[in-house]
Amino acid sequence: MAPPNILFILADDMGYGDFGCFSEGLAKTPTLDHLVEGGLCLTQHYSASPVCAPARASLFTGRYPQRTGTIDTIEMRGLDRMSLRERTMADLLRDAGYVTGLVGKWHNGALDARHHPTARGFDEFVGFCGGWHPYFDWSIERGTAPATTRVADDGRYLTDVFTDEAVDFVQRHRGSPFFLHLAYNAPHYPFQSPEEDLAAFRDRGDLTLGVSHVYAMIQRMDAGIARVLDALERSGIAENTLVLFSSDNGPQFGGLGKMNTDRFNCGFRGAKLLVYEGGIRLPMVLRWPAGLASGLTRDELVHFTDWLPTLVGLAGGALPRDRVLDGVDVLPLLQGERGQVCDRRFWQWNRYAPHGECNAAMRDGPWKLVRPAIDELMQVTPEDWNMDVASKYDRAAHTEILREPLPERSPAAAAPSQLFDLASDPEERSDLAAAQPARVRSMEAALASWFEEVESERRAIDDLP
């Protein structure tokens, strides 16, 4: 059998509770629900980070984000960029003979041409390079390597634009193996949705306006995914196309008054920004009629770093030999065989520069250690935030990476570690640290050792001035 086409669809800030089938109908996602019912659903699938850019860098490289140099979402400081020494999933699949395309959000180099998606393995790109973008009055890029052109708002909703472009890509490349990364920005801020989608949620009366927008944005994306899947069918290539759907991190919660976006997320603790399950445990559903059984679930731990070795191996491509890969090929596992699984995983994230005792976690089998966030290290300065917002609506507002020193901070002492048994407590409600001091000390030491390893590699990067 020929290697399959690969369609990797990634939502932005979407959690388990944003599926209709997992939320008892709160959300409306008939297409995704059908994929869950008729595909292969992973119940312990994890992002590499609770925020966008580091998570995406890890997905594209098969490596923990710190190793790649991508440590934050703040593009005006260049902290979203991957080292130029990294070979991306798109690079490796293109080397294996695939046509490669990115439609939607990039967020791994917004203000540096060396890090543009067409310089990082993608033959074609339609989308935006930053962390978020308006859904109305948009301005995006379209083109092929090495040049793209600016395309202005033509009256369509941005999610629909990305759907249209994905359908076009499928139709144009149905005769050759392709890798299409369809990176919708829904339901990421700003919370904007078409009136015809918003009305049904807003008029219910039991949801905030913010949550109503989120569900409407997801409903629109779900309808778009149906169109893309239909394009695969009409092109006669659905049987041998591997479709994957997930999100980059957990749902964004918070906001004031009517724009608050707190909502159901299957009881998981935390949300975007935090390394509790609500920030990093994500839905993943796959469909490949020619290669995977349908209507099944797998409970083993699968991590973002696993997808590069899995997909490149499936395509018959070669993996990099000059760097550590943190992921493993999970295709045998997906096909019901006894395959490799890595059940020891690590996470850490905070703003500007990594701090090992802040917002860090480790999985070791069913056990999870959490170092809680230190509030001061999780904040963006008002100046950086205002500049970020201005640049999204006025491209001339900021076009170069800031060379100013990073903000100086004097964080409070780290809070005590927490310990959870996810086998019996997936919602992380019962802290067992006091009852398991030896396990806590052992896992703290392992987490500290991992952090020093990846930080040493990051500090050695010399191509991200």
Side-chain angles (χ1 to χ4, degrees):
M1 182 174 63
N5 303 305
I6 301 169
L7 170 60
F8 201 127
I9 306 172
L10 198 68
D12 199 348
D13 295 358
M14 181 175 175
Y16 271 93
D18 293 327
F19 279 64
C21 61
F22 299 139
S23 67
E24 298 182 351
L26 279 173
K28 305 297 181 185
T29 56
T31 305
L32 293 177
D33 295 350
H34 181 71
L35 281 177
V36 169
E37 181 181 357
L40 174 63
C41 189
L42 306 183
T43 65
Q44 291 199 80
H45 176 248
Y46 285 86
S47 177
S49 176
V51 294
C52 303
R56 292 163 192 263
S58 189
L59 175 67
F60 283 128
T61 63
R63 289 157 47 84
Y64 285 117
Q66 291 87 348
R67 296 191 194 277
T68 74
T70 306
I71 55 173
D72 204 351
T73 63
I74 310 172
E75 64 244 30
M76 84 276 293
R77 289 188 175 273
L79 301 177
D80 62 331
R81 297 174 299 167
M82 293 181 283
S83 167
L84 296 173
R85 291 179 292 180
E86 298 293 337
R87 299 294 310 285
T88 71
M89 184 185 297
D91 285 318
L92 302 175
L93 289 173
R94 185 167 63 181
D95 289 349
Y98 278 59
V99 177
T100 59
L102 169 59
V103 172
K105 172 176 170 175
W106 171 233
H107 206 188
N108 280 139
L111 301 175
D112 187 333
R114 301 174 302 163
H115 297 269
H116 192 273
T118 57
R120 305 310 303 261
F122 288 101
D123 296 313
E124 301 181 17
F125 171 59
V126 181
F128 61 94
C129 291
W132 57 274
H133 198 82
Y135 294 83
F136 300 105
D137 194 24
W138 45 264
S139 176
I140 60 174
E141 297 179 55
R142 175 191 285 120
T144 57
T148 60
T149 57
R150 179 66 47 183
V151 180
D153 177 25
D154 59 10
R156 288 178 293 168
Y157 184 62
L158 187 57
T159 298
D160 295 340
V161 174
F162 293 153
T163 295
D164 292 342
E165 294 291 342
V167 168
D168 179 66
F169 183 95
V170 167
Q171 292 173 337
R172 286 187 292 109
H173 297 297
R174 60 184 180 272
S176 57
F178 65 74
F179 166 53
L180 174 59
H181 183 51
L182 174 52
Y184 285 110
N185 52 321
H188 193 289
Y189 175 89
F191 305 117
Q192 302 169 340
S193 57
E195 174 62 26
E196 59 266 32
D197 294 296
L198 175 63
F201 297 103
R202 182 192 58 211
D203 297 346
R204 280 174 37 171
D206 61 341
L207 303 173
T208 67
L209 181 59
V211 173
S212 297
H213 274 297
V214 167
Y215 286 163
M217 295 159 77
I218 292 171
Q219 177 175 270
R220 192 75 165 208
M221 177 181 66
D222 185 85
I225 293 170
R227 290 179 51 209
V228 179
L229 298 181
D230 182 62
L232 295 174
E233 294 285 353
R234 288 186 286 106
S235 298
I237 57 175
E239 183 73 14
N240 198 32
T241 296
L242 171 59
V243 178
L244 308 93
F245 177 88
S246 191
S247 178
D248 57 350
N249 47 250
Q252 178 181 342
F253 285 178
L256 300 176
K258 66 181 182 180
M259 292 309 297
N260 183 277
T261 57
D262 291 359
R263 58 194 186 274
F264 176 75
N265 194 33
C266 297
F268 290 127
R269 182 172 181 172
K272 179 182 180 177
L273 306 181
L274 300 177
V275 296
Y276 294 111
E277 295 291 277
I280 57 175
R281 188 165 177 168
L282 307 171
M284 167 57 85
V285 58
L286 307 94
R287 188 193 75 178
W288 179 23
L292 295 177
S294 61
L296 299 177
T297 61
R298 296 305 302 255
D299 299 326
E300 293 85 352
L301 195 159
V302 178
H303 188 269
F304 257 29
T305 56
D306 295 332
W307 293 118
L308 180 138
T310 300
L311 298 180
V312 172
L314 182 60
L319 297 174
R321 296 180 177 274
D322 59 346
R323 67 204 62 237
V324 172
L325 287 184
D326 296 301
V328 297
D329 184 346
V330 296
L331 181 62
L333 171 70
L334 301 179
Q335 293 180 324
E337 304 169 10
R338 184 183 297 275
Q340 283 185 294
V341 177
C342 181
D343 58 4
R344 174 175 275 208
R345 290 294 184 184
F346 303 88
W347 296 265
Q348 191 284 321
W349 177 77
N350 62 273
R351 292 293 187 185
Y352 293 112
H355 188 291
E357 295 183 336
C358 174
N359 201 35
M362 175 188 177
R363 269 289 301 264
D364 187 6
W367 295 99
K368 182 178 177 184
L369 181 87
V370 174
R371 301 301 306 266
I374 300 172
D375 185 66
E376 184 178 0
L377 298 179
M378 303 294 286
Q379 307 304 317
V380 178
T381 66
E383 294 78 12
D384 280 358
W385 173 252
N386 291 337
M387 186 176 297
D388 179 76
V389 173
S391 68
K392 300 302 188 295
Y393 291 95
D394 179 6
R395 285 188 54 80
H398 189 76
T399 59
E400 297 182 355
I401 293 172
L402 287 180
R403 304 299 179 182
E404 300 172 2
L406 296 176
E408 294 186 7
R409 297 171 295 176
S410 300
S417 296
Q418 299 168 324
L419 181 69
F420 305 101
D421 178 2
L422 297 185
S424 60
D425 180 27
E427 298 180 354
E428 297 171 300
R429 304 300 177 191
S430 179
D431 180 4
L432 302 177
Q436 298 265 357
R439 187 181 299 278
V440 169
R441 288 193 297 270
S442 174
M443 293 181 72
E444 283 179 337
L447 179 59
S449 177
W450 167 82
F451 182 75
E452 180 54 36
E453 177 195 348
V454 295
E455 266 294 274
S456 295
E457 188 168 351
R458 183 184 74 85
R459 289 193 293 266
I461 294 174
D462 58 9
D463 62 4
L464 290 175

